[in-house]
Amino acid sequence: DTAVSQTPKYLVTQMGNDKSIKCEQNLGHDTMYWYKQDSKKFLKIMFSYNNKELIINETVPNRFSPKSPDKAHLNLHINSLELGDSAVYFCASSQQTGGDEQFFGPGTRLTVL
Amino acid sequence: ILNVEQSPQSLHVQEGDSTNFTCSFPSSNFYALHWYRWETAKSPEALFVMTLNGDEKKKGRISATLNTKEGYSYLYIKGSQPEDSATYLCAPYNTDKLIFGTGTRLQVFP
């Protein structure tokens, strides 16, 4: 059973389009995260949700909007895609906030043309 | 901005060699320190979560120590095997989030 799953795995799209990436965890965790792996291979936190409530919102353009319909899902919607949005996006979850180990999804490679 | 530094950036060792890497982080406001193992084309997997100064954790041939007063952690791999080849990331937990270092890329040659 996949603990943290993301769809799609690959996403190729044109500049200006709107796209979504979905994330689901079946671990019963309360906290979920979105990370971006930048061009230098750093993993940087974008958002985190605890029990469907936003708790971290880093300096991310407001074209990025996370949505958590329930605590097992955290989706990422991106409006008006730009070339610089090309990256690998990872979803993760943990039991709680407060430093619990995080379980990562397989990543979604987004390419904006 | 929290500076997390890992050294070396990359390491090539022969099978059977023991090796270690360093993670340095600001010691103020310390809460926890995570180590993750990240194999190519996979996703990061947690190795250890350490919270107490002087903590030492072990999983098989891999162990880690923590010094929160001076802000560093060491990861040791005893008798490296080719399957240990991966990038090892450390990440202090600070103000509700993990701050990842750039990682140490380990390549173990048979």
Side-chain angles (χ1 to χ4, degrees), chain B residues 16-81:
Chain B
D17 287 350
S18 293
T19 187
N20 63 84
F21 337 126
T22 305
C23 171
S24 302
F25 53 89
S27 54
S28 58
N29 299 320
F30 176 84
Y31 188 87
L33 191 282
H34 291 216
W35 279 101
Y36 286 82
R37 182 171 177 273
W38 194 355
E39 288 181 71
T40 304
K42 293 189 177 180
S43 47
E45 290 183 355
L47 284 172
F48 305 114
V49 177
M50 307 171 80
T51 55
L52 299 175
N53 185 44
D55 238 356
E56 185 168 338
K57 296 220 171 178
K58 190 174 179 185
K59 188 181 281 190
R61 293 177 292 97
I62 304 176
S63 60
T65 60
L66 178 66
N67 183 321
T68 60
K69 292 184 179 176
E70 295 180 42
Y72 64 84
S73 176
Y74 294 135
L75 188 82
Y76 301 91
I77 302 179
K78 188 177 174 182
S80 304
Q81 298 296 308

Side-chain angles (χ1 to χ4, degrees), chain A residues 56-71:
Chain A
I56 292 175
N57 184 349
E58 288 294 287
T59 313
V60 175
N62 56 18
R63 298 180 295 102
F64 289 78
S65 54
K67 283 191 171 47
S68 183
D70 56 60
K71 73 175 194 176

Side-chain angles (χ1 to χ4, degrees), chain A residues 27-68:
Chain A
L27 297 167
H29 288 168
D30 284 346
T31 310
M32 295 184 74
Y33 311 84
W34 276 110
Y35 287 90
K36 180 180 180 180
Q37 183 186 11
D38 67 17
S39 56
K40 294 184 179 178
K41 307 296 184 189
F42 273 104
L43 269 179
K44 288 187 178 175
I45 184 76
M46 299 173 70
F47 302 103
S48 79
Y49 270 71
N50 186 54
N51 262 321
K52 303 191 294 172
E53 296 213 5
L54 181 67
I55 54 170
I56 292 175
N57 184 349
E58 288 294 287
T59 313
V60 175
N62 56 18
R63 298 180 295 102
F64 289 78
S65 54
K67 283 191 171 47
S68 183

